Amino acid sequence: MSDQKPTGTRHYRPETRLVHGGTLRSQYGETSEALFLTQGYVYETAEQCAARFANTDPGFIYSRFANPTVSMFEQRMVELEGAEAARATATGMAAVTTAVLAPLRAGDHVVAAKAMFGSCRFVVEDLLPRYGITSTLVDGLDLDQWQKAMRPNTKTLFLESPTNPTLEVLDIAEIAKIAHAGGARLIVDNVFATPIWQSPLALGADVVVYSATKHIDGQGRCLGGVILSSDAFIQEHIHNFLRQTGPSMSPFNAWVLLKGLETLGVRVRQQTENAAKIADALAKHPKISKLIYPGRSDHPQAAIVKKQMRAGSTMVAFEVKGERAAAFRTLNGLKVARISNNLGDSKSLVTHPTTTTHQRLSEPARAELGITEGMIRYSAGLEHADDLIEDLHAALEKA
Ligand SMILES: Cc1ncc(COP(=O)(O)O)c(C=O)c1O
């Protein structure tokens, strides 16, 4: 590496950070970041090798611990998010599981919002209790419930906002205050908002996690995740856990994600514009009983959206009259948007949460969250908005 220190870009605007942040150049001076597809590293001498392991000589040891391409991705995310440090993981779920589990011990307690991605809820509800960590699930919109759930041993509060798939918007700053007053940390899964529209650390959260699989790649190619926080949190709780347990990001995926970050702002802006147009076009459709879009003034938490998000979202949720059969007829009738359980992609993707992402939940648990049989989650892509709207109108004809 000729540039051992990554380029600092914090004084630039986010668009510039997305393109240049974290770049390390080799002696060849390449324009595009190099892909260091290597498992390990060699040393000049045994003394140098010993010094690396003793942490007195900076440098790479083994790609399970760190890799130059992965480090560039981590550093670009750090600069974008305004964090002190980051660690990349193999998937978004590896990031969530590590951020939640690694700092905890048996006897600790976690409070989390009920409305979250099915696998995140599994981690809190099913996995943690197996290791003696108790959890309480609350209605994330109700600050009283967060407050009442706090116990002397509560160490972590965990939420996602907007929520998957109901697009509720939780008050991050107020929930952070409750966490800190009780000596706990707040972890925010920022997947639905994206780093373009919401900065949880600036709102008072302590840790941010992403599934980089979603908007950060945004082109359906690879899985990835990232945890961002203070240097102290990453060093004390995350670095060693990842190093010893191994859910590391592959250098190839880091390279793809670095390229994804370069276009993230442009894609998210265009996808959000498309989502807003879709929401407006469907809001009064006779076959739709409910439409939820965080960018509209009729969103139930419009005031919180205004306070903490820079724009709406790339996601729209709506309920088709006539329950599951009508929702399925709508999905099957779409020709441009494709049926998928993924989101944040340049291709518009539609999901029936009841039978996919949230099928693990019981019927009453889904009902409590407002996930109905008629609900469809729509992830707006980069196609022309008029084609997407015409596609939806044609499919709804058949519903
Ligand atoms: C909100 C949210 N968090 C986390 C994840 C998990 O990410 P991954 O699929 O990359 O493991 C997903 C989706 O899968 C998600 O929608």
mmCIF file of all heavy atoms in Angstrom, residues 91-94 96 117 120 160 164 189 191-192 210-214 223-225 342-343 377, ligand 1:
data_model
loop_
_atom_site.group_PDB
_atom_site.id
_atom_site.type_symbol
_atom_site.label_atom_id
_atom_site.label_comp_id
_atom_site.label_asym_id
_atom_site.label_seq_id
_atom_site.Cartn_x
_atom_site.Cartn_y
_atom_site.Cartn_z
ATOM 1 N N THR A 91 -23.229 -11.041 6.776
ATOM 2 C CA THR A 91 -24.627 -10.752 6.435
ATOM 3 C C THR A 91 -25.157 -9.694 7.401
ATOM 4 O O THR A 91 -24.519 -9.404 8.424
ATOM 5 C CB THR A 91 -25.526 -11.999 6.605
ATOM 6 O OG1 THR A 91 -25.538 -12.348 8.002
ATOM 7 C CG2 THR A 91 -25.052 -13.186 5.792
ATOM 8 N N GLY A 92 -26.334 -9.187 7.092
ATOM 9 C CA GLY A 92 -26.981 -8.264 8.022
ATOM 10 C C GLY A 92 -27.316 -8.956 9.339
ATOM 11 O O GLY A 92 -27.176 -8.358 10.410
ATOM 12 N N MET A 93 -27.743 -10.216 9.264
ATOM 13 C CA MET A 93 -28.085 -10.918 10.504
ATOM 14 C C MET A 93 -26.849 -11.164 11.366
ATOM 15 O O MET A 93 -26.942 -11.191 12.597
ATOM 16 C CB MET A 93 -28.826 -12.236 10.217
ATOM 17 C CG MET A 93 -30.299 -12.054 9.883
ATOM 18 S SD MET A 93 -31.190 -10.787 10.858
ATOM 19 C CE MET A 93 -30.947 -11.341 12.531
ATOM 20 N N ALA A 94 -25.680 -11.356 10.736
ATOM 21 C CA ALA A 94 -24.446 -11.498 11.523
ATOM 22 C C ALA A 94 -24.163 -10.188 12.260
ATOM 23 O O ALA A 94 -23.709 -10.187 13.411
ATOM 24 C CB ALA A 94 -23.274 -11.876 10.622
ATOM 25 N N VAL A 96 -26.496 -7.911 13.206
ATOM 26 C CA VAL A 96 -27.502 -7.762 14.272
ATOM 27 C C VAL A 96 -27.166 -8.687 15.445
ATOM 28 O O VAL A 96 -27.119 -8.247 16.607
ATOM 29 C CB VAL A 96 -28.925 -8.078 13.729
ATOM 30 C CG1 VAL A 96 -29.933 -8.210 14.867
ATOM 31 C CG2 VAL A 96 -29.367 -7.012 12.734
ATOM 32 N N PHE A 117 -37.970 -7.002 11.732
ATOM 33 C CA PHE A 117 -37.751 -8.110 10.807
ATOM 34 C C PHE A 117 -37.770 -9.442 11.579
ATOM 35 O O PHE A 117 -37.219 -9.537 12.673
ATOM 36 C CB PHE A 117 -36.402 -7.877 10.097
ATOM 37 C CG PHE A 117 -35.959 -8.994 9.224
ATOM 38 C CD1 PHE A 117 -36.781 -9.477 8.215
ATOM 39 C CD2 PHE A 117 -34.716 -9.570 9.391
ATOM 40 C CE1 PHE A 117 -36.370 -10.518 7.411
ATOM 41 C CE2 PHE A 117 -34.286 -10.605 8.585
ATOM 42 C CZ PHE A 117 -35.127 -11.083 7.594
ATOM 43 N N CYS A 120 -34.610 -10.782 13.255
ATOM 44 C CA CYS A 120 -34.154 -9.936 14.377
ATOM 45 C C CYS A 120 -34.997 -10.269 15.614
ATOM 46 O O CYS A 120 -34.478 -10.350 16.730
ATOM 47 C CB CYS A 120 -34.297 -8.455 14.036
ATOM 48 S SG CYS A 120 -33.260 -7.935 12.663
ATOM 49 N N GLU A 160 -35.847 -1.020 15.064
ATOM 50 C CA GLU A 160 -35.616 -0.607 13.684
ATOM 51 C C GLU A 160 -36.663 0.446 13.346
ATOM 52 O O GLU A 160 -37.792 0.411 13.862
ATOM 53 C CB GLU A 160 -35.683 -1.789 12.716
ATOM 54 C CG GLU A 160 -37.023 -2.460 12.631
ATOM 55 C CD GLU A 160 -37.026 -3.678 11.706
ATOM 56 O OE1 GLU A 160 -36.165 -4.550 11.870
ATOM 57 O OE2 GLU A 160 -37.903 -3.747 10.847
ATOM 58 N N ASN A 164 -40.210 -2.927 9.566
ATOM 59 C CA ASN A 164 -40.427 -3.881 8.483
ATOM 60 C C ASN A 164 -41.602 -4.780 8.852
ATOM 61 O O ASN A 164 -41.487 -5.493 9.843
ATOM 62 C CB ASN A 164 -39.135 -4.697 8.314
ATOM 63 C CG ASN A 164 -39.203 -5.741 7.236
ATOM 64 O OD1 ASN A 164 -40.175 -5.835 6.505
ATOM 65 N ND2 ASN A 164 -38.171 -6.553 7.139
ATOM 66 N N ASP A 189 -31.348 -0.605 13.972
ATOM 67 C CA ASP A 189 -31.231 -1.226 12.651
ATOM 68 C C ASP A 189 -31.771 -0.196 11.661
ATOM 69 O O ASP A 189 -32.963 0.093 11.642
ATOM 70 C CB ASP A 189 -32.063 -2.522 12.648
ATOM 71 C CG ASP A 189 -32.023 -3.260 11.316
ATOM 72 O OD1 ASP A 189 -31.786 -2.610 10.291
ATOM 73 O OD2 ASP A 189 -32.270 -4.486 11.313
ATOM 74 N N VAL A 191 -31.775 -0.166 8.332
ATOM 75 C CA VAL A 191 -31.887 -0.694 6.969
ATOM 76 C C VAL A 191 -32.957 0.028 6.148
ATOM 77 O O VAL A 191 -32.708 0.412 5.007
ATOM 78 C CB VAL A 191 -32.183 -2.213 7.012
ATOM 79 C CG1 VAL A 191 -32.726 -2.721 5.695
ATOM 80 C CG2 VAL A 191 -30.914 -2.970 7.355
ATOM 81 N N PHE A 192 -34.135 0.220 6.709
ATOM 82 C CA PHE A 192 -35.232 0.802 5.923
ATOM 83 C C PHE A 192 -35.007 2.296 5.654
ATOM 84 O O PHE A 192 -35.458 2.812 4.646
ATOM 85 C CB PHE A 192 -36.584 0.570 6.621
ATOM 86 C CG PHE A 192 -37.223 -0.724 6.209
ATOM 87 C CD1 PHE A 192 -36.505 -1.906 6.197
ATOM 88 C CD2 PHE A 192 -38.548 -0.765 5.804
ATOM 89 C CE1 PHE A 192 -37.071 -3.100 5.794
ATOM 90 C CE2 PHE A 192 -39.137 -1.956 5.395
ATOM 91 C CZ PHE A 192 -38.402 -3.121 5.388
ATOM 92 N N TYR A 210 -26.502 -2.384 9.841
ATOM 93 C CA TYR A 210 -27.099 -2.465 8.512
ATOM 94 C C TYR A 210 -27.008 -3.876 7.963
ATOM 95 O O TYR A 210 -25.998 -4.549 8.168
ATOM 96 C CB TYR A 210 -26.341 -1.581 7.502
ATOM 97 C CG TYR A 210 -26.583 -0.111 7.675
ATOM 98 C CD1 TYR A 210 -25.638 0.688 8.305
ATOM 99 C CD2 TYR A 210 -27.755 0.478 7.217
ATOM 100 C CE1 TYR A 210 -25.850 2.041 8.476
ATOM 101 C CE2 TYR A 210 -27.980 1.833 7.386
ATOM 102 C CZ TYR A 210 -27.038 2.602 8.009
ATOM 103 O OH TYR A 210 -27.262 3.933 8.178
ATOM 104 N N SER A 211 -28.020 -4.243 7.203
ATOM 105 C CA SER A 211 -27.868 -5.307 6.229
ATOM 106 C C SER A 211 -27.400 -4.577 4.976
ATOM 107 O O SER A 211 -28.180 -3.856 4.347
ATOM 108 C CB SER A 211 -29.211 -6.001 5.975
ATOM 109 O OG SER A 211 -29.113 -6.718 4.760
ATOM 110 N N ALA A 212 -26.120 -4.756 4.624
ATOM 111 C CA ALA A 212 -25.574 -4.106 3.417
ATOM 112 C C ALA A 212 -26.119 -4.781 2.162
ATOM 113 O O ALA A 212 -25.999 -4.254 1.051
ATOM 114 C CB ALA A 212 -24.051 -4.156 3.440
ATOM 115 N N THR A 213 -26.714 -5.954 2.365
ATOM 116 C CA THR A 213 -27.396 -6.696 1.298
ATOM 117 C C THR A 213 -28.460 -5.840 0.622
ATOM 118 O O THR A 213 -28.753 -6.023 -0.558
ATOM 119 C CB THR A 213 -28.121 -7.910 1.944
ATOM 120 O OG1 THR A 213 -27.248 -8.538 2.876
ATOM 121 C CG2 THR A 213 -28.628 -8.888 0.925
ATOM 122 N N LYS A 214 -29.052 -4.933 1.410
ATOM 123 C CA LYS A 214 -30.183 -4.163 0.901
ATOM 124 C C LYS A 214 -29.671 -2.984 0.058
ATOM 125 O O LYS A 214 -28.970 -3.207 -0.890
ATOM 126 C CB LYS A 214 -31.059 -3.715 2.078
ATOM 127 C CG LYS A 214 -31.444 -4.884 3.005
ATOM 128 C CD LYS A 214 -32.282 -5.919 2.272
ATOM 129 C CE LYS A 214 -32.801 -7.028 3.137
ATOM 130 N NZ LYS A 214 -31.997 -8.225 3.218
ATOM 131 N N LEU A 223 -24.375 -10.574 -0.151
ATOM 132 C CA LEU A 223 -24.825 -10.352 1.226
ATOM 133 C C LEU A 223 -23.734 -9.608 1.988
ATOM 134 O O LEU A 223 -22.543 -9.748 1.684
ATOM 135 C CB LEU A 223 -25.072 -11.695 1.917
ATOM 136 C CG LEU A 223 -26.165 -12.586 1.317
ATOM 137 C CD1 LEU A 223 -25.994 -14.010 1.822
ATOM 138 C CD2 LEU A 223 -27.537 -12.070 1.667
ATOM 139 N N GLY A 224 -24.140 -8.878 3.004
ATOM 140 C CA GLY A 224 -23.152 -8.219 3.859
ATOM 141 C C GLY A 224 -23.839 -7.492 4.986
ATOM 142 O O GLY A 224 -25.058 -7.274 4.956
ATOM 143 N N GLY A 225 -23.048 -7.129 6.000
ATOM 144 C CA GLY A 225 -23.593 -6.367 7.121
ATOM 145 C C GLY A 225 -22.511 -5.491 7.706
ATOM 146 O O GLY A 225 -21.315 -5.659 7.400
ATOM 147 N N ASN A 342 -36.641 -9.825 -0.852
ATOM 148 C CA ASN A 342 -35.562 -8.847 -0.662
ATOM 149 C C ASN A 342 -36.098 -7.430 -0.857
ATOM 150 O O ASN A 342 -37.264 -7.238 -1.212
ATOM 151 C CB ASN A 342 -34.431 -9.145 -1.643
ATOM 152 C CG ASN A 342 -33.098 -8.645 -1.142
ATOM 153 O OD1 ASN A 342 -32.953 -8.253 0.021
ATOM 154 N ND2 ASN A 342 -32.113 -8.625 -2.008
ATOM 155 N N LEU A 343 -35.247 -6.439 -0.615
ATOM 156 C CA LEU A 343 -35.682 -5.041 -0.734
ATOM 157 C C LEU A 343 -34.474 -4.150 -0.993
ATOM 158 O O LEU A 343 -33.332 -4.590 -0.881
ATOM 159 C CB LEU A 343 -36.398 -4.606 0.561
ATOM 160 C CG LEU A 343 -35.579 -4.616 1.848
ATOM 161 C CD1 LEU A 343 -35.119 -3.223 2.208
ATOM 162 C CD2 LEU A 343 -36.383 -5.193 2.986
ATOM 163 N N ARG A 377 -45.726 -5.375 0.721
ATOM 164 C CA ARG A 377 -44.609 -4.441 0.914
ATOM 165 C C ARG A 377 -43.970 -4.217 -0.447
ATOM 166 O O ARG A 377 -43.624 -5.183 -1.136
ATOM 167 C CB ARG A 377 -43.602 -5.092 1.873
ATOM 168 C CG ARG A 377 -42.450 -4.207 2.268
ATOM 169 C CD ARG A 377 -41.433 -4.976 3.075
ATOM 170 N NE ARG A 377 -40.553 -5.776 2.215
ATOM 171 C CZ ARG A 377 -39.623 -6.612 2.672
ATOM 172 N NH1 ARG A 377 -39.463 -6.797 3.963
ATOM 173 N NH2 ARG A 377 -38.857 -7.289 1.828
HETATM 174 C C1 LIG B 1 -34.543 -4.663 8.739
HETATM 175 C C2 LIG B 1 -33.632 -5.809 8.407
HETATM 176 N N1 LIG B 1 -32.590 -6.083 9.217
HETATM 177 C C3 LIG B 1 -31.760 -7.115 8.971
HETATM 178 C C4 LIG B 1 -31.939 -7.938 7.873
HETATM 179 C C5 LIG B 1 -31.001 -9.090 7.666
HETATM 180 O O1 LIG B 1 -30.089 -8.885 6.636
HETATM 181 P P1 LIG B 1 -29.371 -10.060 5.800
HETATM 182 O O2 LIG B 1 -30.407 -10.686 4.933
HETATM 183 O O3 LIG B 1 -28.289 -9.351 5.049
HETATM 184 O O4 LIG B 1 -28.826 -11.037 6.796
HETATM 185 C C6 LIG B 1 -33.018 -7.688 6.995
HETATM 186 C C7 LIG B 1 -33.315 -8.501 5.803
HETATM 187 O O5 LIG B 1 -32.995 -9.565 5.509
HETATM 188 C C8 LIG B 1 -33.883 -6.591 7.281
HETATM 189 O O6 LIG B 1 -34.930 -6.327 6.476
#
